[in-house]
Amino acid sequence: MILNNDCLKNREVWEAKGYRLPEYDREAMIARTKANPAWLHFGAGNIFKALHGMAAQRLLNEGILDKGIIAVERMDRGGEKYDDLAVVVTLKASGSVEKNILGAMAETCYLYGGEERLKEIFRNPSLQLATFTITEKGYSLDAEDVKADLALSPAEAKSYMGRVAALLLERCKAGAFPIAMVSTDNCSHNGDKLKAAMLAFAKAWGDADFLAYIEDGSKVSFPWTMIDKITPSPDLSVGAMLEKDGLEGFAPVRNARGTVKAPYVNAEESEYLVLEDDFPNGRPPLEKAGFFFTDRETVDKVERMKVCTCLNPLHTALAVYGCLLGYEKIWQEMQDEDLKKLVYTIGYKEGLPVVTDPGIIRPEDFIQTVLTVRFPNPFMPDTPQRIATDTSQKLSIRFGETVKAYLASDTLQASDLKLIPLVFAGWLRYLMAVDDKGQAFEPSPDPLLASAQAYVAGCRLGEKPDCGKLEGLLRNKTVFGVDLVEAGLSDKVCAYFAELTAGVGAVRETLHKYVSAE
């Protein structure tokens, strides 16, 4: 079995192996899309294929859409093309596996090496939206290649954002046709980040018409969005399953950096994409695929609900204590009664009383799905080590906003918080890079790792820590969102930390002691 158009003609072979194939005339769809594209996507990676791509496929199967998506990758690396097909494996908590052949990508273009085709697409009035999943750092104006680009002409642009801006300039010159530029990256107010990058180039290039075009919301919009779907690195067991089915060339490869590359995607079943409904050239009816369209304020509320209460804080709590207790999978942690009680209490007892309710999704329903379906899914290969990446950048929003809400409340007291401070203390213990068995481990990458570790450099298991040396870190509002001394939580955090460092096994003992008390 080879993943290409010719091989897919033998539908019965694929279907006998449990694969769901496109149910539409793909050849006709491709012709229509190439002639008059409506949807283009930058960053055709795992989450795009599992979420955006599969949403389009469902609507194509139902006859609601008759065009697919044009995918944009950075460059042609000379690898297998698979005729713009992909395998998307959904790993369900029930234990069942859904295997889809994604055919909704009508064409793949390249930002480097395919400029002329992309210019042609952007000049076409039919283009309604360009979506993005390029990670938050992709929009940074501080990158060296971006800084260099700002001094060059549009034709000389080399950075990712510079080339996107040059394409938008082509659309402006062709007739100032309307378009929605839609970041669906997992970062706050993502539309503003994309708009800021486009404005920076328009100003640097000194093109008044282009600047006016970008600033005119009836011409170019930059909606806010909130995305949520766990798509871990390709799991080796999934690759083995596909090869056992007979798929050729589907063994994943782990490179020297530990990154797994594979021609398939594995993802969870749950997914959310909430978008500000601001599309000046119209849009596909993606609400029929389960996407939420609403106003900007509601998008912001959904994001706060997820990031500050119902998912991200719970993930971080599991990441910190999972690393200390030697776990390698998030789902395994959810079988640990102490860790399960930790996240249930943080979510339901400490978080929900101050949760932001967006109205379109009930926080209680969202958190229940997280804790009973998503995290415990034994087929999701997500790791606490991955989630622990950049923890210093996450604590302020994931926990600090809840602390602020307690400080501002007339009925709640910050001193009521018991387990959120335990997570703070757990992170301090994590910074020691020694697990609960007394064995050294390598902390996940974090831009503040070295500076934060300096505060615990003198701490040893079995020795009472000098908590006075921690004050500088505990007062860091950038890390915690608040000054923990001023918030009245520093003594509690220090006391927890002293218990967590009492010796081998102290992490388990301390965790059990305090979650059992709740």
PDB file of all heavy atoms in Angstrom, residues 479-508:
ATOM      1  N   VAL A 479       7.373  35.983  36.534  1.00  0.00           N
ATOM      2  CA  VAL A 479       7.287  34.525  36.627  1.00  0.00           C
ATOM      3  C   VAL A 479       5.947  34.081  37.199  1.00  0.00           C
ATOM      4  O   VAL A 479       5.276  33.212  36.628  1.00  0.00           O
ATOM      5  CB  VAL A 479       8.437  33.967  37.479  1.00  0.00           C
ATOM      6  CG1 VAL A 479       8.235  32.475  37.753  1.00  0.00           C
ATOM      7  CG2 VAL A 479       9.770  34.193  36.780  1.00  0.00           C
ATOM      8  N   PHE A 480       5.537  34.666  38.318  1.00  0.00           N
ATOM      9  CA  PHE A 480       4.346  34.173  39.020  1.00  0.00           C
ATOM     10  C   PHE A 480       3.084  34.990  38.756  1.00  0.00           C
ATOM     11  O   PHE A 480       2.004  34.605  39.217  1.00  0.00           O
ATOM     12  CB  PHE A 480       4.619  34.117  40.524  1.00  0.00           C
ATOM     13  CG  PHE A 480       5.671  33.119  40.910  1.00  0.00           C
ATOM     14  CD1 PHE A 480       6.950  33.535  41.252  1.00  0.00           C
ATOM     15  CD2 PHE A 480       5.404  31.757  40.898  1.00  0.00           C
ATOM     16  CE1 PHE A 480       7.936  32.620  41.598  1.00  0.00           C
ATOM     17  CE2 PHE A 480       6.373  30.828  41.244  1.00  0.00           C
ATOM     18  CZ  PHE A 480       7.649  31.259  41.587  1.00  0.00           C
ATOM     19  N   GLY A 481       3.220  36.108  38.078  1.00  0.00           N
ATOM     20  CA  GLY A 481       2.055  36.943  37.825  1.00  0.00           C
ATOM     21  C   GLY A 481       1.780  37.929  38.930  1.00  0.00           C
ATOM     22  O   GLY A 481       1.148  38.960  38.713  1.00  0.00           O
ATOM     23  N   VAL A 482       2.239  37.609  40.141  1.00  0.00           N
ATOM     24  CA  VAL A 482       2.089  38.481  41.308  1.00  0.00           C
ATOM     25  C   VAL A 482       3.371  38.375  42.126  1.00  0.00           C
ATOM     26  O   VAL A 482       4.160  37.447  41.955  1.00  0.00           O
ATOM     27  CB  VAL A 482       0.890  38.066  42.192  1.00  0.00           C
ATOM     28  CG1 VAL A 482      -0.424  38.228  41.458  1.00  0.00           C
ATOM     29  CG2 VAL A 482       1.053  36.645  42.702  1.00  0.00           C
ATOM     30  N   ASP A 483       3.561  39.312  43.018  1.00  0.00           N
ATOM     31  CA  ASP A 483       4.611  39.229  44.026  1.00  0.00           C
ATOM     32  C   ASP A 483       4.063  38.320  45.128  1.00  0.00           C
ATOM     33  O   ASP A 483       3.123  38.696  45.842  1.00  0.00           O
ATOM     34  CB  ASP A 483       4.913  40.635  44.556  1.00  0.00           C
ATOM     35  CG  ASP A 483       6.008  40.653  45.623  1.00  0.00           C
ATOM     36  OD1 ASP A 483       6.092  39.697  46.412  1.00  0.00           O
ATOM     37  OD2 ASP A 483       6.744  41.653  45.688  1.00  0.00           O
ATOM     38  N   LEU A 484       4.605  37.118  45.247  1.00  0.00           N
ATOM     39  CA  LEU A 484       4.053  36.159  46.207  1.00  0.00           C
ATOM     40  C   LEU A 484       4.236  36.596  47.648  1.00  0.00           C
ATOM     41  O   LEU A 484       3.472  36.169  48.529  1.00  0.00           O
ATOM     42  CB  LEU A 484       4.693  34.786  45.988  1.00  0.00           C
ATOM     43  CG  LEU A 484       4.339  34.087  44.667  1.00  0.00           C
ATOM     44  CD1 LEU A 484       5.053  32.745  44.568  1.00  0.00           C
ATOM     45  CD2 LEU A 484       2.832  33.891  44.542  1.00  0.00           C
ATOM     46  N   VAL A 485       5.229  37.441  47.911  1.00  0.00           N
ATOM     47  CA  VAL A 485       5.406  37.981  49.264  1.00  0.00           C
ATOM     48  C   VAL A 485       4.256  38.921  49.570  1.00  0.00           C
ATOM     49  O   VAL A 485       3.583  38.807  50.608  1.00  0.00           O
ATOM     50  CB  VAL A 485       6.759  38.690  49.405  1.00  0.00           C
ATOM     51  CG1 VAL A 485       6.880  39.336  50.790  1.00  0.00           C
ATOM     52  CG2 VAL A 485       7.916  37.713  49.173  1.00  0.00           C
ATOM     53  N   GLU A 486       4.001  39.858  48.669  1.00  0.00           N
ATOM     54  CA  GLU A 486       2.903  40.809  48.865  1.00  0.00           C
ATOM     55  C   GLU A 486       1.549  40.101  48.882  1.00  0.00           C
ATOM     56  O   GLU A 486       0.616  40.538  49.568  1.00  0.00           O
ATOM     57  CB  GLU A 486       2.917  41.860  47.758  1.00  0.00           C
ATOM     58  CG  GLU A 486       4.117  42.799  47.799  1.00  0.00           C
ATOM     59  CD  GLU A 486       4.083  43.825  46.681  1.00  0.00           C
ATOM     60  OE1 GLU A 486       3.135  43.778  45.859  1.00  0.00           O
ATOM     61  OE2 GLU A 486       4.994  44.680  46.627  1.00  0.00           O
ATOM     62  N   ALA A 487       1.438  39.011  48.144  1.00  0.00           N
ATOM     63  CA  ALA A 487       0.172  38.275  48.086  1.00  0.00           C
ATOM     64  C   ALA A 487      -0.058  37.424  49.325  1.00  0.00           C
ATOM     65  O   ALA A 487      -1.140  36.846  49.502  1.00  0.00           O
ATOM     66  CB  ALA A 487       0.150  37.384  46.846  1.00  0.00           C
ATOM     67  N   GLY A 488       0.939  37.344  50.180  1.00  0.00           N
ATOM     68  CA  GLY A 488       0.810  36.562  51.404  1.00  0.00           C
ATOM     69  C   GLY A 488       0.943  35.067  51.195  1.00  0.00           C
ATOM     70  O   GLY A 488       0.509  34.271  52.047  1.00  0.00           O
ATOM     71  N   LEU A 489       1.539  34.649  50.085  1.00  0.00           N
ATOM     72  CA  LEU A 489       1.661  33.233  49.788  1.00  0.00           C
ATOM     73  C   LEU A 489       3.087  32.706  49.897  1.00  0.00           C
ATOM     74  O   LEU A 489       3.306  31.492  49.811  1.00  0.00           O
ATOM     75  CB  LEU A 489       1.134  32.947  48.371  1.00  0.00           C
ATOM     76  CG  LEU A 489      -0.372  33.134  48.152  1.00  0.00           C
ATOM     77  CD1 LEU A 489      -0.712  32.960  46.680  1.00  0.00           C
ATOM     78  CD2 LEU A 489      -1.169  32.153  49.003  1.00  0.00           C
ATOM     79  N   SER A 490       4.051  33.579  50.066  1.00  0.00           N
ATOM     80  CA  SER A 490       5.450  33.138  50.042  1.00  0.00           C
ATOM     81  C   SER A 490       5.784  32.202  51.209  1.00  0.00           C
ATOM     82  O   SER A 490       6.516  31.218  51.027  1.00  0.00           O
ATOM     83  CB  SER A 490       6.389  34.342  50.057  1.00  0.00           C
ATOM     84  OG  SER A 490       6.190  35.124  51.224  1.00  0.00           O
ATOM     85  N   ASP A 491       5.255  32.464  52.384  1.00  0.00           N
ATOM     86  CA  ASP A 491       5.544  31.596  53.532  1.00  0.00           C
ATOM     87  C   ASP A 491       5.003  30.187  53.296  1.00  0.00           C
ATOM     88  O   ASP A 491       5.648  29.181  53.644  1.00  0.00           O
ATOM     89  CB  ASP A 491       4.935  32.179  54.816  1.00  0.00           C
ATOM     90  CG  ASP A 491       5.677  33.407  55.303  1.00  0.00           C
ATOM     91  OD1 ASP A 491       6.798  33.660  54.818  1.00  0.00           O
ATOM     92  OD2 ASP A 491       5.133  34.137  56.161  1.00  0.00           O
ATOM     93  N   LYS A 492       3.811  30.113  52.702  1.00  0.00           N
ATOM     94  CA  LYS A 492       3.218  28.809  52.422  1.00  0.00           C
ATOM     95  C   LYS A 492       4.058  28.063  51.390  1.00  0.00           C
ATOM     96  O   LYS A 492       4.335  26.856  51.540  1.00  0.00           O
ATOM     97  CB  LYS A 492       1.784  28.985  51.915  1.00  0.00           C
ATOM     98  CG  LYS A 492       1.034  27.680  51.698  1.00  0.00           C
ATOM     99  CD  LYS A 492      -0.417  27.940  51.263  1.00  0.00           C
ATOM    100  CE  LYS A 492      -1.217  28.570  52.390  1.00  0.00           C
ATOM    101  NZ  LYS A 492      -2.638  28.761  52.007  1.00  0.00           N
ATOM    102  N   VAL A 493       4.489  28.769  50.338  1.00  0.00           N
ATOM    103  CA  VAL A 493       5.309  28.141  49.301  1.00  0.00           C
ATOM    104  C   VAL A 493       6.622  27.647  49.893  1.00  0.00           C
ATOM    105  O   VAL A 493       7.064  26.526  49.614  1.00  0.00           O
ATOM    106  CB  VAL A 493       5.560  29.127  48.140  1.00  0.00           C
ATOM    107  CG1 VAL A 493       6.570  28.546  47.148  1.00  0.00           C
ATOM    108  CG2 VAL A 493       4.254  29.473  47.430  1.00  0.00           C
ATOM    109  N   CYS A 494       7.237  28.473  50.739  1.00  0.00           N
ATOM    110  CA  CYS A 494       8.511  28.083  51.350  1.00  0.00           C
ATOM    111  C   CYS A 494       8.351  26.888  52.289  1.00  0.00           C
ATOM    112  O   CYS A 494       9.213  25.993  52.327  1.00  0.00           O
ATOM    113  CB  CYS A 494       9.106  29.268  52.102  1.00  0.00           C
ATOM    114  SG  CYS A 494       9.748  30.559  51.014  1.00  0.00           S
ATOM    115  N   ALA A 495       7.261  26.866  53.025  1.00  0.00           N
ATOM    116  CA  ALA A 495       7.021  25.739  53.930  1.00  0.00           C
ATOM    117  C   ALA A 495       6.826  24.448  53.140  1.00  0.00           C
ATOM    118  O   ALA A 495       7.355  23.388  53.504  1.00  0.00           O
ATOM    119  CB  ALA A 495       5.794  26.025  54.803  1.00  0.00           C
ATOM    120  N   TYR A 496       6.051  24.527  52.049  1.00  0.00           N
ATOM    121  CA  TYR A 496       5.888  23.361  51.182  1.00  0.00           C
ATOM    122  C   TYR A 496       7.240  22.901  50.631  1.00  0.00           C
ATOM    123  O   TYR A 496       7.547  21.708  50.582  1.00  0.00           O
ATOM    124  CB  TYR A 496       4.969  23.694  50.006  1.00  0.00           C
ATOM    125  CG  TYR A 496       3.502  23.823  50.319  1.00  0.00           C
ATOM    126  CD1 TYR A 496       2.660  24.579  49.491  1.00  0.00           C
ATOM    127  CD2 TYR A 496       2.910  23.171  51.399  1.00  0.00           C
ATOM    128  CE1 TYR A 496       1.300  24.692  49.728  1.00  0.00           C
ATOM    129  CE2 TYR A 496       1.555  23.286  51.652  1.00  0.00           C
ATOM    130  CZ  TYR A 496       0.748  24.053  50.815  1.00  0.00           C
ATOM    131  OH  TYR A 496      -0.600  24.163  51.051  1.00  0.00           O
ATOM    132  N   PHE A 497       8.042  23.875  50.185  1.00  0.00           N
ATOM    133  CA  PHE A 497       9.333  23.551  49.582  1.00  0.00           C
ATOM    134  C   PHE A 497      10.229  22.821  50.583  1.00  0.00           C
ATOM    135  O   PHE A 497      10.923  21.863  50.231  1.00  0.00           O
ATOM    136  CB  PHE A 497      10.001  24.826  49.071  1.00  0.00           C
ATOM    137  CG  PHE A 497      11.334  24.605  48.412  1.00  0.00           C
ATOM    138  CD1 PHE A 497      11.457  23.779  47.307  1.00  0.00           C
ATOM    139  CD2 PHE A 497      12.479  25.226  48.896  1.00  0.00           C
ATOM    140  CE1 PHE A 497      12.683  23.577  46.690  1.00  0.00           C
ATOM    141  CE2 PHE A 497      13.717  25.025  48.296  1.00  0.00           C
ATOM    142  CZ  PHE A 497      13.814  24.198  47.190  1.00  0.00           C
ATOM    143  N   ALA A 498      10.197  23.282  51.816  1.00  0.00           N
ATOM    144  CA  ALA A 498      11.005  22.623  52.845  1.00  0.00           C
ATOM    145  C   ALA A 498      10.578  21.168  53.031  1.00  0.00           C
ATOM    146  O   ALA A 498      11.413  20.272  53.215  1.00  0.00           O
ATOM    147  CB  ALA A 498      10.891  23.383  54.165  1.00  0.00           C
ATOM    148  N   GLU A 499       9.270  20.916  52.956  1.00  0.00           N
ATOM    149  CA  GLU A 499       8.794  19.539  53.084  1.00  0.00           C
ATOM    150  C   GLU A 499       9.164  18.701  51.858  1.00  0.00           C
ATOM    151  O   GLU A 499       9.532  17.529  51.976  1.00  0.00           O
ATOM    152  CB  GLU A 499       7.279  19.533  53.277  1.00  0.00           C
ATOM    153  CG  GLU A 499       6.828  20.109  54.619  1.00  0.00           C
ATOM    154  CD  GLU A 499       5.334  19.942  54.853  1.00  0.00           C
ATOM    155  OE1 GLU A 499       4.879  18.772  54.827  1.00  0.00           O
ATOM    156  OE2 GLU A 499       4.628  20.953  55.040  1.00  0.00           O
ATOM    157  N   LEU A 500       9.092  19.316  50.676  1.00  0.00           N
ATOM    158  CA  LEU A 500       9.406  18.595  49.439  1.00  0.00           C
ATOM    159  C   LEU A 500      10.874  18.211  49.339  1.00  0.00           C
ATOM    160  O   LEU A 500      11.227  17.264  48.621  1.00  0.00           O
ATOM    161  CB  LEU A 500       9.020  19.451  48.223  1.00  0.00           C
ATOM    162  CG  LEU A 500       7.515  19.688  47.986  1.00  0.00           C
ATOM    163  CD1 LEU A 500       7.320  20.792  46.951  1.00  0.00           C
ATOM    164  CD2 LEU A 500       6.836  18.406  47.508  1.00  0.00           C
ATOM    165  N   THR A 501      11.729  18.926  50.056  1.00  0.00           N
ATOM    166  CA  THR A 501      13.175  18.669  49.993  1.00  0.00           C
ATOM    167  C   THR A 501      13.684  17.905  51.205  1.00  0.00           C
ATOM    168  O   THR A 501      14.894  17.766  51.399  1.00  0.00           O
ATOM    169  CB  THR A 501      13.947  19.999  49.869  1.00  0.00           C
ATOM    170  OG1 THR A 501      13.637  20.833  51.005  1.00  0.00           O
ATOM    171  CG2 THR A 501      13.595  20.737  48.591  1.00  0.00           C
ATOM    172  N   ALA A 502      12.772  17.392  52.039  1.00  0.00           N
ATOM    173  CA  ALA A 502      13.180  16.743  53.291  1.00  0.00           C
ATOM    174  C   ALA A 502      14.009  15.484  53.069  1.00  0.00           C
ATOM    175  O   ALA A 502      14.724  15.041  53.970  1.00  0.00           O
ATOM    176  CB  ALA A 502      11.951  16.416  54.138  1.00  0.00           C
ATOM    177  N   GLY A 503      13.928  14.907  51.904  1.00  0.00           N
ATOM    178  CA  GLY A 503      14.714  13.705  51.622  1.00  0.00           C
ATOM    179  C   GLY A 503      14.115  12.921  50.471  1.00  0.00           C
ATOM    180  O   GLY A 503      13.142  13.360  49.832  1.00  0.00           O
ATOM    181  N   VAL A 504      14.685  11.772  50.178  1.00  0.00           N
ATOM    182  CA  VAL A 504      14.148  10.897  49.144  1.00  0.00           C
ATOM    183  C   VAL A 504      12.727  10.481  49.534  1.00  0.00           C
ATOM    184  O   VAL A 504      12.469  10.130  50.685  1.00  0.00           O
ATOM    185  CB  VAL A 504      15.054   9.667  48.969  1.00  0.00           C
ATOM    186  CG1 VAL A 504      14.398   8.646  48.036  1.00  0.00           C
ATOM    187  CG2 VAL A 504      16.414  10.079  48.438  1.00  0.00           C
ATOM    188  N   GLY A 505      11.805  10.554  48.594  1.00  0.00           N
ATOM    189  CA  GLY A 505      10.415  10.195  48.860  1.00  0.00           C
ATOM    190  C   GLY A 505       9.580  11.319  49.429  1.00  0.00           C
ATOM    191  O   GLY A 505       8.372  11.159  49.606  1.00  0.00           O
ATOM    192  N   ALA A 506      10.192  12.477  49.679  1.00  0.00           N
ATOM    193  CA  ALA A 506       9.458  13.574  50.308  1.00  0.00           C
ATOM    194  C   ALA A 506       8.434  14.206  49.368  1.00  0.00           C
ATOM    195  O   ALA A 506       7.421  14.747  49.829  1.00  0.00           O
ATOM    196  CB  ALA A 506      10.440  14.647  50.795  1.00  0.00           C
ATOM    197  N   VAL A 507       8.679  14.145  48.065  1.00  0.00           N
ATOM    198  CA  VAL A 507       7.705  14.704  47.123  1.00  0.00           C
ATOM    199  C   VAL A 507       6.401  13.930  47.222  1.00  0.00           C
ATOM    200  O   VAL A 507       5.321  14.509  47.353  1.00  0.00           O
ATOM    201  CB  VAL A 507       8.254  14.666  45.677  1.00  0.00           C
ATOM    202  CG1 VAL A 507       7.163  15.066  44.682  1.00  0.00           C
ATOM    203  CG2 VAL A 507       9.454  15.592  45.535  1.00  0.00           C
ATOM    204  N   ARG A 508       6.490  12.625  47.198  1.00  0.00           N
ATOM    205  CA  ARG A 508       5.288  11.804  47.311  1.00  0.00           C
ATOM    206  C   ARG A 508       4.600  12.029  48.651  1.00  0.00           C
ATOM    207  O   ARG A 508       3.367  12.190  48.707  1.00  0.00           O
ATOM    208  CB  ARG A 508       5.646  10.321  47.133  1.00  0.00           C
ATOM    209  CG  ARG A 508       4.508   9.362  47.461  1.00  0.00           C
ATOM    210  CD  ARG A 508       3.318   9.522  46.533  1.00  0.00           C
ATOM    211  NE  ARG A 508       3.640   9.062  45.197  1.00  0.00           N
ATOM    212  CZ  ARG A 508       2.790   9.149  44.168  1.00  0.00           C
ATOM    213  NH1 ARG A 508       1.591   9.700  44.336  1.00  0.00           N
ATOM    214  NH2 ARG A 508       3.138   8.707  42.966  1.00  0.00           N
TER     215      ARG A 508
END
